[in-house]
Amino acid sequence: MNHFGWQPDRQAATPIHKQIEEYLKEKIIHGEWTIGTKIPSQRTLAEVFHVNRSTIVTALDELTAAGLIAGRRGGGTKVVNNTWSLMASSPPPNWNAYVEAGIHRPNLPTIKEINDAEFRTNMIRLGTGELSPELLPNKQMQTIFQQLAVRKMSLGYEEAKGDLYLRQQLTKHLKKLGIHTSPSSILIVSGSLQALQLISLGLLHPGSSVLLERPSYLYSVHVFQSAGIRLFGIPMDEQGIQTSIMQKYKKQYNGALLYTIPSFHNPTGTLMTEERRKDLMALCEKLSLPLIEDDVYRDLWIDSAAPRPLKARDKNGMVLYLGSMSKSVSPGLRIGWVIGPEPVVERLSDIKMQTDYGSSALSQWAAAEWLSSGLYEEHLVEIRNQLKIRRDTVIELLDKHFADIASWEIPTGGFYIWVRILPPLSIRDLFEQALKEGILLNPGHLYDRDATQYIRISYSYASLAELEKGIVRLAKIAKRLITAK
């Protein structure tokens, strides 16, 4: 907490002490300093902001008078506490017990089959949730790395939280979404999946319960379950997670936190409405239920931009916000971020340093260049156009070849269409027969064990020709299996 990435403006008409007061107040209001967070000493603040100690005293006196901070003899000056801070103070996991038990569960058998099949030649991948090779920005990336090559770059480790310049660029990017944060409340991670792993290890006790949408991507990976954490799914409707029954689930399963993908949900493609987001935030605040907002698909809107993130509505430090460039720029870049209260970010960055000593410096420099140069926004315009063409093509193909045996909703962004096969059919048989004929699917049970009549179709990876060929062939296989029954 000895580096804020901010300095008072000595040319401004606003007095310096008032600028410092407002800056510290923003960190409290936006949940970066939660209740219980110890404020740096007056001497430290004076050194950081290059002012006299009396200036700091004046600013802190104003915050004390406003009831935002309080000082105790021998205990320093503190803010008020919240749920995240309590969780962040949890003791570290018992590593020896985990190692002896072989804590990380293996992939689901079907996931293993999919992972193996993805690298076979001539395989039409109708389930892969990433950008097609033909949509990856190879030329732009080459240009960026050429520019980096002529710069003076350190080949050592980065700061624990990640490259400061990248975090500064992210604050500007996030501000456009209504998220006001500072570099000190951002942790750079190697994709959002690593963020979930760090959260499972650093913020939750074994045996804790996590609430989430049902179906959910989180069921297809064992990152939480491997840490001894239980998952309890809450049904969805066309507006998102059903908040009307959340309180019952919270009480029944003693939910420690909520995990949600509100924008272009994986696997259903659902976009949580503005009204449902308001209801969700109000309910989480009422129940003191912190939440993880996984927003990796936000920038991939097709018809219109998604409503503001939940984090943009967060005034009490309730939300941990996850973002990534894996879906929008390149899965190989392996750059994501976590935004949250400083005690949580500090905790997660400590565990990350124990794990890998930080994300790739080269990838971080490239990501910062994408954001600072304007290339990222330009790239998104093209990607949205291409995704629209692909989505519309797949919907036309489904209308033509699946209308009599399946139903689906048209997504307004993201990668996925959640297709329900109406006649009774073994999706396992469909998966195996399709695989034999060179088509790779993602069965619904990966995301909800009861979703036995669903498949997740992705329009982001296969080429337009492959999408047509694959869906036509898949319809024939499905109808053959239905007829055989």
Side-chain angles (χ1 to χ4, degrees):
M1 289 166 54
N2 61 354
H3 183 84
F4 296 97
W6 176 86
Q7 288 292 322
D9 182 2
R10 285 164 171 74
Q11 305 302 318
T14 305
I16 299 256
H17 78 271
K18 194 66 179 176
Q19 293 183 48
I20 294 174
E21 174 198 342
E22 290 299 320
Y23 177 76
L24 299 181
K25 184 188 293 185
E26 286 294 303
K27 295 183 81 67
I28 296 170
I29 290 175
H30 292 301
E32 293 182 47
W33 283 357
T34 55
I35 298 173
T37 299
K38 188 174 181 180
I39 298 294
S41 69
Q42 295 174 3
R43 178 179 298 176
T44 298
L45 290 173
E47 291 175 354
V48 169
F49 295 133
H50 305 294
V51 297
N52 294 327
R53 190 169 173 177
S54 59
T55 303
I56 298 298
V57 170
T58 303
L60 295 183
D61 283 346
E62 292 294 327
L63 294 176
T64 301
L68 294 176
I69 63 174
R72 293 183 179 179
R73 181 173 296 178
T77 302
K78 294 184 179 180
V79 194
V80 196
N81 212 329
N82 73 15
T83 311
W84 279 117
S85 294
L86 293 173
M87 294 172 66
S89 64
S90 302
N94 184 342
W95 289 104
N96 288 335
Y98 281 172
V99 170
E100 290 170 5
I103 64 169
H104 206 288
R105 297 186 186 183
N107 265 327
L108 295 169
T110 305
I111 293 287
K112 290 183 178 179
E113 290 182 81
I114 292 172
N115 289 341
D116 291 340
E118 282 184 334
F119 294 96
R120 297 180 196 171
T121 57
N122 301 319
M123 184 66 65
I124 298 177
R125 294 160 60 173
L126 294 183
T128 300
E130 62 188 66
L131 290 177
S132 169
E134 62 190 45
L135 297 182
L136 296 179
N138 295 302
K139 290 183 178 180
Q140 295 97 316
M141 195 68 77
Q142 288 176 359
T143 300
I144 284 175
F145 278 113
Q146 287 172 356
Q147 292 172 347
L148 291 174
V150 300
R151 293 184 180 179
K152 183 179 180 181
M153 297 184 296
S154 169
L155 296 180
Y157 294 118
E158 291 287 355
E159 296 180 44
K161 294 180 183 178
D163 179 68
L164 176 59
Y165 182 60
L166 172 56
R167 288 183 284 132
Q168 289 171 336
Q169 294 305 310
L170 280 170
T171 62
K172 297 176 183 178
H173 174 70
L174 293 164
K175 191 174 183 180
K176 299 174 185 176
L177 304 178
I179 298 175
H180 297 273
T181 189
S182 61
S184 58
S185 290
I186 299 176
L187 170 65
I188 304 301
V189 290
S190 300
S192 59
L193 186 58
Q194 186 187 44
L196 295 176
Q197 182 183 36
L198 295 174
I199 291 167
S200 71
L201 294 175
L203 302 182
L204 295 168
H205 295 291
S208 297
S209 299
V210 169
L211 306 179
L212 69 163
E213 292 123 339
R214 185 176 181 186
S216 175
Y217 153 78
L218 206 55
Y219 281 114
S220 69
V221 292
H222 282 156
V223 60
F224 275 3
Q225 299 96 317
S226 294
I229 294 160
R230 301 175 298 166
L231 305 181
F232 294 97
I234 300 174
M236 301 175 67
D237 59 24
E238 68 280 358
Q239 297 185 55
I241 193 168
Q242 294 186 29
T243 50
S244 60
I245 57 177
M246 263 184 56
Q247 186 166 354
K248 180 181 72 173
Y249 276 76
K250 166 72 165 67
K251 182 177 181 181
Q252 181 175 352
Y253 299 114
N254 191 28
L257 61 81
L258 171 72
Y259 170 83
T260 179
I261 309 174
S263 298
F264 316 121
H265 177 261
N266 181 5
T268 67
T270 302
L271 175 64
M272 189 181 293
T273 62
E274 173 73 21
E275 194 63 32
R276 186 63 55 86
R277 291 172 192 243
K278 291 179 181 178
D279 292 344
L280 179 59
M281 284 301 298
L283 186 57
C284 285
E285 290 175 2
K286 174 186 175 182
L287 300 176
S288 294
L289 179 66
L291 58 95
I292 301 169
E293 180 180 12
D294 193 338
D295 214 22
V296 299
Y297 298 98
R298 158 165 295 277
D299 290 337
L300 301 173
W301 55 266
I302 294 174
D303 298 326
S304 60
R308 288 189 309 147
L310 300 173
K311 184 63 180 174
R313 310 157 197 269
D314 180 23
K315 302 303 181 184
N316 298 301
M318 297 290 294
V319 180
L320 277 185
Y321 183 83
L322 310 186
S324 173
M325 282 192 172
S326 294
K327 302 300 181 183
S328 55
V329 175
S330 167
L333 200 59
R334 306 310 303 143
I335 288 294
W337 46 89
V338 182
I339 317 297
E342 279 192 18
V344 179
V345 172
E346 293 283 352
R347 170 76 167 145
L348 299 182
S349 65
D350 176 56
I351 297 175
K352 179 169 170 57
M353 287 299 285
Q354 295 179 50
T355 305
D356 65 4
Y357 265 72
S359 299
S360 163
L362 195 59
S363 291
Q364 291 185 69
W365 294 329
E369 189 66 25
W370 270 99
L371 292 171
S372 63
S373 66
L375 275 177
Y376 184 64
E377 294 297 333
E378 293 177 12
H379 170 71
L380 286 177
V381 172
E382 177 60 22
I383 290 300
R384 289 170 188 145
N385 289 335
Q386 292 300 319
L387 288 177
K388 176 176 172 55
I389 293 171
R390 288 162 169 271
R391 180 204 61 182
D392 293 349
T393 297
V394 171
I395 293 299
E396 289 178 8
L397 290 167
L398 290 174
D399 284 338
K400 183 175 181 180
H401 300 284
F402 274 87
D404 55 338
I405 62 168
S407 64
W408 57 87
E409 298 294 330
I410 301 175
T412 58
F415 290 165
Y416 311 115
I417 303 174
W418 190 234
V419 179
R420 182 184 180 187
I421 307 298
L422 299 176
L425 172 66
S426 168
I427 298 298
R428 178 65 197 181
D429 289 345
L430 180 63
F431 173 81
E432 291 179 348
Q433 289 299 315
L435 195 58
K436 289 179 181 178
E437 298 194 29
I439 302 170
L440 188 57
L441 301 175
N442 278 39
H445 77 264
L446 298 178
Y447 313 101
D448 177 0
R449 65 184 179 185
D450 294 329
T452 56
Q453 290 295 111
Y454 288 85
I455 56 175
R456 188 192 77 176
I457 297 291
S458 168
Y459 47 82
S460 64
Y461 188 83
S463 66
L464 289 173
E466 288 175 330
L467 288 170
E468 180 174 8
K469 183 178 179 181
I471 289 175
V472 170
R473 190 182 297 175
L474 182 63
K476 292 179 180 178
I477 297 171
K479 292 175 181 178
R480 186 170 69 234
L481 290 172
I482 292 169
T483 302
K485 289 182 66 71

